Amino acid sequence: MEDKEQRWDKLLQIKTTGRDETNADAYHHPYEPTPYSVLERLLGSDLIRKGDVLLDYGCGKGRVDFFLSHRTKAKTIGIEYDDRIYQIALENLRNVTSQVKPQFVPANAEEYEVPPDVNRCYFFNPFSVEIFHKVMARIIESYYENPREIFLFFYYPSDEYIAHLMTVDELEFYDEIECDDLFKQRDNRQRILIFQLPYYGIKETIL
């Protein structure tokens, strides 16, 4: 019997399984896909919908982007620094059965300017905390240039990431999605932390 990892890949006609640390180093962590069971739980939060634009940092082979765009019809953008893995994401893009297709960008996350319509960001510990500091600065910069509500999702967050998040004045803790019950071995890092950059603008009233 196929497990969930294989079933979703087969349904979408993509190949995203397996860990890959070929080009990992002190600043860039190995590719490891978010389990589909975790993505399903994220989906249940109802915080990603059609009309949202999600930026996936360290997208790897594109699993997060393919799954969420297929299930929610949201626009997804995946950033990947490793050209070899980026090419696999493009191959998946050519084969995927979903009508809503992600966009993949070959770029270093710390140099990437956050598009003004991005209102969701996803992280699965893709890089070192040093790079993370710069990435968060880019997100905050985009937030001030184009004020809007932004939700940030952190799966399996490291202590270093959490420590930095707590120093960002603009951020507000929003919620936590427990995921440790999805696995045989319990691990308190098996969770998704959700932070919010709130928007306090006055919405126009249509008379």
Side-chain angles (χ1 to χ4, degrees), residues 54-60 65 76-82 86 103-115 126-127 135:
L54 181 137
L55 184 55
D56 176 18
Y57 283 97
C59 68
D65 312 276
T76 58
I77 304 169
I79 302 174
E80 179 55 48
Y81 93 100
D82 186 329
Y86 168 72
Q103 174 188 352
F104 295 113
V105 180
N108 291 317
E110 66 272 30
E111 298 172 359
Y112 183 73
E113 292 188 12
V114 179
F127 31 66
V135 168

Side-chain angles (χ1 to χ4, degrees), residues 52-87:
D52 290 326
V53 181
L54 181 137
L55 184 55
D56 176 18
Y57 283 97
C59 68
K61 300 174 185 178
R63 174 180 292 190
V64 169
D65 312 276
F66 290 117
F67 179 82
L68 292 178
S69 61
H70 173 70
R71 291 296 304 273
T72 68
K73 311 306 179 189
K75 177 182 177 182
T76 58
I77 304 169
I79 302 174
E80 179 55 48
Y81 93 100
D82 186 329
D83 183 66
R84 188 181 63 81
I85 293 180
Y86 168 72
Q87 294 301 325

Side-chain angles (χ1 to χ4, degrees), residues 4 6 24 30 71-72 75 98 129 131 136 142 146 149 170 173 176 190-192 198 201 203:
K4 189 169 292 186
Q6 296 169 326
R71 291 296 304 273
T72 68
K75 177 182 177 182
S98 177
V129 70
I131 292 178
M136 282 303 305
S142 176
N146 298 279
E149 180 182 66
E170 293 85 354
F173 175 75
E176 178 177 324
Q190 285 290 358
R191 54 183 173 154
I192 302 171
K203 295 182 179 180

Side-chain angles (χ1 to χ4, degrees), residues 20-137:
D20 190 322
E21 52 187 54
T22 306
N23 290 322
D25 55 32
Y27 296 100
H28 303 92
H29 298 163
Y31 165 74
E32 186 171 358
T34 301
Y36 279 115
S37 56
V38 171
L39 292 177
E40 288 176 340
R41 191 151 290 184
L42 174 59
L43 194 69
S45 71
D46 202 32
L47 290 175
I48 303 171
R49 306 178 184 180
K50 183 178 181 179
D52 290 326
V53 181
L54 181 137
L55 184 55
D56 176 18
Y57 283 97
C59 68
K61 300 174 185 178
R63 174 180 292 190
V64 169
D65 312 276
F66 290 117
F67 179 82
L68 292 178
S69 61
H70 173 70
R71 291 296 304 273
T72 68
K73 311 306 179 189
K75 177 182 177 182
T76 58
I77 304 169
I79 302 174
E80 179 55 48
Y81 93 100
D82 186 329
D83 183 66
R84 188 181 63 81
I85 293 180
Y86 168 72
Q87 294 301 325
I88 296 174
L90 292 185
E91 180 66 21
N92 283 330
L93 186 61
R94 287 188 283 270
N95 296 330
V96 69
T97 56
S98 177
Q99 294 182 344
V100 181
K101 299 184 184 298
Q103 174 188 352
F104 295 113
V105 180
N108 291 317
E110 66 272 30
E111 298 172 359
Y112 183 73
E113 292 188 12
V114 179
D117 56 347
V118 165
N119 65 348
R120 304 287 187 269
C121 298
Y122 182 84
F123 297 83
F124 178 14
N125 296 320
F127 31 66
S128 68
V129 70
E130 291 85 0
I131 292 178
F132 181 55
H133 288 189
K134 298 175 182 178
V135 168
M136 282 303 305

